[in-house]
């Protein structure tokens, strides 16, 4: 693999950081099924891989579909994209027992370090899924306009407490009769001053805003001024009938 391949730079040329920089920033990306989490990862890789050394870890219950999507998109060298098959409800592997994800992240850092940024994608889950601070230094939560203009008002720790809330697929708003400005206003009211970003992968300005947010977060991480916060545990819930652990049983997450 060429030293100049996207996402393989050993040193962030944009920031001109020394090689004894802190370990990679670990950014968790969560949100319901179909909101565009994998697309956001691909967008970030395309925007930042020319200046940062990056890797990705995806989570799915029984498949590596999200990892295969990213590999086929060519956004990073394929060996820098790892898949974790959780075998259980997706939030379990990002909050309750994060060992499989930590192993994947640490393997990537050992093989390709020093890394600047590791993106960790949760499997699709509900509005209350959050990452353990033991796994993610910061959290991006994703909802989309196709889920309805009232989604932000429904709350949940991901919506109210993640470091960044992305309202995705804004280009679809006219087709689903959603007022993006009103949806953003609802989200801002729910988040008590935390950042909200309306995003479309087809809108260069919003993509640049997302990339700049990650760059600024990385600066704070390297300087030691970013403090990981916990948006809060998932609400008690149950799973429908199925083969997975906990299916059909009510349970909560610490």
């Amino acid at each position: 693999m060429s030293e100049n391949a996207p996402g393989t730079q050993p040193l962030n040329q944009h920031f001109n950081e020394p090689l004894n920089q802190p370990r990679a920033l670990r950014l968790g990306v969560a949100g319901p099924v179909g909101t565009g989490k994998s697309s956001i990862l691909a967008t970030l890789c395309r925007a930042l891989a020319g200046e940062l050394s990056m890797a990705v870890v995806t989570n799915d219950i029984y498949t590596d579909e999200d990892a295969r999507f990213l590999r086929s998109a060519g956004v990073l060298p394929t060996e820098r994209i790892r898949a974790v098959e959780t075998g259980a409800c997706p939030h379990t592997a990002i909050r309750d027992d994060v060992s499989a994800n930590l192993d994947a992240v640490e393997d990537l850092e050992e093989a390709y370090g020093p890394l600047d940024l590791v993106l960790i994608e949760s499997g699709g889950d509900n509005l209350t899924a959050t990452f353990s601070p033991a796994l993610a230094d910061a959290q991006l939560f994703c909802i989309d306009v196709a889920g309805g203009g009232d989604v932000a008002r429904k709350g949940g720790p991901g919506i109210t407490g993640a470091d960044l809330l992305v309202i995705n697929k804004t280009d679809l708003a006219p087709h689903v009769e959603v007022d993006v400005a009103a949806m953003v206003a609802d989200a801002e009211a729910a988040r008590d001053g935390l950042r909200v970003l309306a995003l479309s992968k087809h809108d260069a300005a919003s993509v640049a805003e997302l990339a700049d947010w990650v760059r600024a977060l990385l600066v704070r991480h390297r300087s030691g001024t970013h403090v990981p916060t916990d948006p809060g545990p998932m609400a008690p819930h149950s799973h429908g009938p199925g083969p997975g652990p906990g299916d059909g049983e009510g349970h909560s997450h610490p």
Side-chain angles (χ1 to χ4, degrees), residues 142-162:
C142 175
I143 58 178
D144 74 309
V145 299
D150 62 343
V151 174
R153 296 198 299 272
K154 295 182 178 180
I159 287 176
T160 60

Side-chain angles (χ1 to χ4, degrees), residues 160-228:
T160 60
D163 297 89
L164 177 67
L165 176 66
V166 169
I167 299 174
N168 202 16
K169 307 180 187 177
T170 55
D171 53 297
L172 298 182
H175 305 289
V176 293
E177 299 181 349
V178 166
D179 183 333
V180 173
M183 195 171 179
V184 169
D186 287 341
E188 289 175 340
R191 285 175 56 76
D192 193 26
L194 292 174
R195 184 78 175 272
V196 178
L197 173 61
L199 177 71
S200 167
K201 67 180 181 181
H202 304 294
D203 174 44
S206 65
V207 170
E209 192 174 350
L210 175 62
D212 284 344
W213 179 83
V214 174
R215 291 186 185 103
L217 177 64
L218 182 56
V219 169
R220 297 196 302 274
H221 170 70
R222 288 176 170 172
S223 68
T225 58
H226 172 72
V227 179

Side-chain angles (χ1 to χ4, degrees), residues 17 20 43 51 70 95 102 139 170 184 203 214 224 241 249:
E17 292 285 350
N20 62 350
T43 297
E51 63 192 72
L70 293 169
R95 185 161 190 97
L102 278 178
Q139 309 192 29
T170 55
V184 169
D203 174 44
V214 174
E249 301 175 4

